[in-house]
Every structure is written in structure tokens, then in C-alpha cells.
Amino acid sequence: MGICENRTVIITGAAGGLGRAYALAFAAEGANVVVNDIGTSLGGEGRDTSAADRVVAEIIAAGGQAVANYDDITDWDAAKRIVDAAVAAFGDLHVVVNNAGIVRDRMFVSATPDEWDATMHVHLRGHFCVSRHAVDYWRAKQKAGGQPDARIINTSSGAGLQGSIAQAAYATAKGGIAALTLVQAAELGRYGITANALAPSARTRMTEQAFADKMATQGAEFDAMDPANVAPTVVWLGSTESADVTGCVFELEGGKIMLEQGWREGPVIDKGARWEPAEVGAVVEQLLAERVPPRKVWGTA
């Protein structure tokens, strides 16, 4: 038996790259999988339901259980239909993997309101809508006397944790998702729900364009950028074994599992009284000298 035997998981953006790898890995470990994908382009345009169908066909051919869903994660009512589809098909819901996203690469000086809004809409609203309806389902289950053992797995990014040149909107959205995860973990534990986030590095439609050289590891002895490398940790986080792990952000790449430590209190100087503006410069200079050096923004020298 697999570690997710008879658990039901919704995976958004599950038709390609990381989402497909997650879907196949969950199914291989005995999970029932709802493959949600509307089949858009990298920038979020167009629709193609056959993309989700192909992943479902792969899972079924391998002996797994899966259904396709083509509802829009950013539509409040449609997001509920995704949750309802999982329960209708498999009788319960245990895991939501919020993986769907778009990217609109643009230097900040050239960014447009429409591109900004579209990026926030898919990443932040999409994470909100699906998770919110799943939480409603789990809370109702608890109130009816059940004991949810539920998981929310969000998708942040290295861009959201340290910034990335030409990705102001994407990085902002992904940073927001990391913060959302902390709040969900703090609030939802009482209902039997954990919340964790991923910052995966793997070969996808997005990364093949932005980081082509780094992603080209297909011919190496170990294909470090294969999306399948990320999937085992995601599956474990969706299993019953991860019940005590919540509020964490994991960076995953190749064979590496890294636990992010997030924003922490750093050096401090307390005068015990109000500062004069002219005094602040020397204080900041000392604090900067004492801090742990920050990670560089992606794309900087």
C-alpha cells in the first residue's frame, strides 16, 4: 500500500510540468486524484480541456484512480465545483495542492496594471478560492462529528522568497502565498488541517524560458531539474504521516529538501527613548554590519 492509499487529492494546474508529476506520484501512492486544469497558455490565455484528460488517461492506464476537472480556480462558484467534484467522485477530500499559476515577465518600469492584476488573480485569488471551499468542507465534516486529517499545500517560489529581476508581479504574488500559508497554519490546525508551501525548482514551461541553461539537465547522470524529483516530498506532505508538520516552506530541487527559516528578528539597538532623525543613520549602519547577509535577488550579479 502507498502512503496516500484512499486519500483524495485535488491538484490545480495538474496537466503539465510539476502538476502532472504530482498527479502521477500521488496516484502511484494510492491516492484518488482530481486533475484540475483549464489548459491555458503560459500567460493564462486560451482553453484546452484535453490537457487534463491526458493526465487522467496516464493515471488510469497505470492502474490508478483519477478524474479530470476543467473549472476555473479564480471563480468563486467554480472553485466550489472542484471540491464538490472530488467528493462526488471519491466520497471525501483530504488534500488540496494549489499549483496552478501564470507568469507575465516584465521589468517593473514597463509593467502594466492588467499584467499585474492577472498575475495576482490567478496566484492569490486562485489559492484562496479553492482552499476556502475545501476548508468549508472540512469544517462541516468536523462539526458533524468527523475528524479531518487534511492538507493544504501551496506553491510559493524562490522568486517570492528572495525576489527576481523582471518578475515583480510574480514575486509579489508568490511572497504573498508564503505569508498566506503561515496564517492558514495558525488558524486551521484546530480543524485538523495543516498548511505548508513549496518553492520548487524544476523544468517547467515557465523555467525553461527564464532559466534555460540551468534547466537543461536531461543528459546528466541525475536529471536534477526533472519535475518528478519534487513530487515525493509533495506526496509525503499530503499523507497522514505529515500531520505534525505545518506552517513550513520547503525549497525543493533535484535531491535537495531545504526548510526555509523565513523572516526572523535580526540585530536590534534599543535607545529606550525617541530617536532624533540625525541619529538614525549610524544606527542603521551598525545594524547592517551585524545582520546575516541576505540572499541575492534572482538575476542580479
Side-chain angles (χ1 to χ4, degrees), residues 37-153:
D37 203 299
I38 59 176
T40 66
S41 69
L42 188 58
E45 297 89 5
R47 295 289 187 273
D48 179 10
T49 59
S50 67
D53 292 337
R54 286 193 294 271
V55 177
V56 169
E58 281 189 81
I59 291 172
I60 293 174
Q65 300 291 321
V67 295
N69 176 275
Y70 324 112
D71 282 301
D72 185 345
I73 61 171
T74 68
D75 181 292
W76 176 251
D77 294 332
K80 185 177 187 302
R81 290 197 296 270
I82 301 171
V83 173
D84 291 344
V87 178
F90 303 115
D92 206 348
L93 173 64
H94 304 89
V95 185
V96 170
V97 180
N98 289 305
N99 172 70
I102 64 170
V103 66
R104 301 286 182 88
D105 287 351
R106 186 82 65 183
M107 297 298 284
F108 186 75
V109 296
S110 303
T112 69
D114 287 345
E115 291 170 341
W116 182 274
D117 291 345
T119 305
M120 299 302 158
H121 195 68
V122 172
H123 289 280
L124 293 175
R125 184 180 171 90
H127 271 61
F128 168 75
C129 289
V130 179
S131 297
R132 179 67 168 72
H133 285 300
V135 167
D136 279 352
Y137 170 78
W138 291 322
R139 288 182 66 202
K141 184 176 181 179
Q142 187 194 59
K143 289 179 180 179
Q147 294 183 322
D149 186 17
R151 309 283 181 268
I152 296 172
I153 303 173

Side-chain angles (χ1 to χ4, degrees), residues 83-270:
V83 173
D84 291 344
V87 178
F90 303 115
D92 206 348
L93 173 64
H94 304 89
V95 185
V96 170
V97 180
N98 289 305
N99 172 70
I102 64 170
V103 66
R104 301 286 182 88
D105 287 351
R106 186 82 65 183
M107 297 298 284
F108 186 75
V109 296
S110 303
T112 69
D114 287 345
E115 291 170 341
W116 182 274
D117 291 345
T119 305
M120 299 302 158
H121 195 68
V122 172
H123 289 280
L124 293 175
R125 184 180 171 90
H127 271 61
F128 168 75
C129 289
V130 179
S131 297
R132 179 67 168 72
H133 285 300
V135 167
D136 279 352
Y137 170 78
W138 291 322
R139 288 182 66 202
K141 184 176 181 179
Q142 187 194 59
K143 289 179 180 179
Q147 294 183 322
D149 186 17
R151 309 283 181 268
I152 296 172
I153 303 173
N154 295 326
T155 304
S156 183
S157 167
L161 302 176
Q162 65 189 90
S164 181
I165 294 293
Q167 293 188 323
Y170 181 78
T172 300
K174 290 302 191 182
I177 288 167
L180 170 65
T181 302
L182 301 181
V183 176
Q184 288 174 328
E187 293 184 356
L188 301 178
R190 71 188 74 177
Y191 306 113
I193 305 166
T194 68
N196 294 285
L198 318 168
S201 179
R203 192 166 50 250
T204 67
R205 289 189 300 168
M206 291 185 188
T207 58
E208 280 183 318
Q209 294 184 17
F211 308 104
D213 291 341
K214 181 179 179 181
M215 295 300 136
T217 59
Q218 295 94 325
E221 183 177 351
F222 173 47
D223 184 1
M225 292 297 111
D226 186 341
N229 299 327
V230 176
T233 302
V234 183
V235 172
W236 183 85
L237 286 172
S239 75
T240 58
E241 296 181 10
S242 66
D244 295 330
V245 178
T246 194
C248 297
V249 178
F250 294 91
E251 280 206 70
L252 307 172
E253 177 184 313
K256 180 175 67 177
I257 301 173
M258 179 189 296
L259 180 63
E260 286 290 320
Q261 296 190 26
W263 289 97
R264 303 176 63 88
E265 292 184 346
V268 60
I269 297 173
D270 185 357

